[in-house]
Amino acid sequence: MELKSQWHRLDHATRRWLMDNPGCVVLPRTISTIVARVADEPVVRDQHGAIQLSAEDVSFIRTRVHGSSDSATGEHRFFDSVQPGNADPHSAESGHLD
C-alpha cells in the first residue's frame, strides 16, 4: 500500500496525526486500523496490528507538512526537538547567564 494514493481517503484527524508525527515509521495500532480500513488494497500489518511505513511514505508525509499552511505563513517547525517558543527563558540560549 502506498500512503500517497490513500491520503484523500483518510479523515482529517488521521491526516493531522500523521503530519504531527512525521518521523513515525511504525504506525500505532489505532492509526493502522484506520489506514487499513480506507485502503483499497490489502495492507500488511505486524503481529501487533501496526503498519510499517516505507521511506516513500515518510517522505510524502514530510512533504505534506512542509507544504501545509504553517509553511505558507513562514512558521518553521523543528522535528524531534523543543520548539523555539517553548525554550526556557532562563537558559543560557536566551542570553541569560546565571
Side-chain angles (χ1 to χ4, degrees), residues 12-58:
H12 176 75
T14 303
R15 288 191 305 247
R16 180 81 267 162
W17 188 94
L18 291 165
M19 291 173 63
D20 286 345
N21 298 280
C24 184
V25 295
V26 178
L27 299 181
R29 185 175 42 220
T30 53
I31 300 297
S32 294
T33 299
I34 294 167
V35 171
R37 190 178 317 134
V38 301
D40 54 0
E41 59 188 80
V43 177
V44 176
R45 301 194 323 181
D46 67 14
Q47 69 269 21
H48 305 290
I51 295 173
Q52 174 136 9
L53 296 178
S54 67
E56 292 82 18
D57 288 336
V58 173

Side-chain angles (χ1 to χ4, degrees), residues 7 10-11 24 26-27 42 47 54 61 65 69 76 83 87 93:
W7 188 257
L10 296 171
D11 62 273
C24 184
V26 178
L27 299 181
Q47 69 269 21
S54 67
I61 294 168
V65 169
S69 61
H76 297 285
Q83 299 299 308
E93 292 177 37

Side-chain angles (χ1 to χ4, degrees), residues 76-89:
H76 297 285
R77 293 187 60 185
F78 300 96
F79 303 111
D80 299 323
S81 66
V82 174
Q83 299 299 308
N86 296 337
D88 180 1

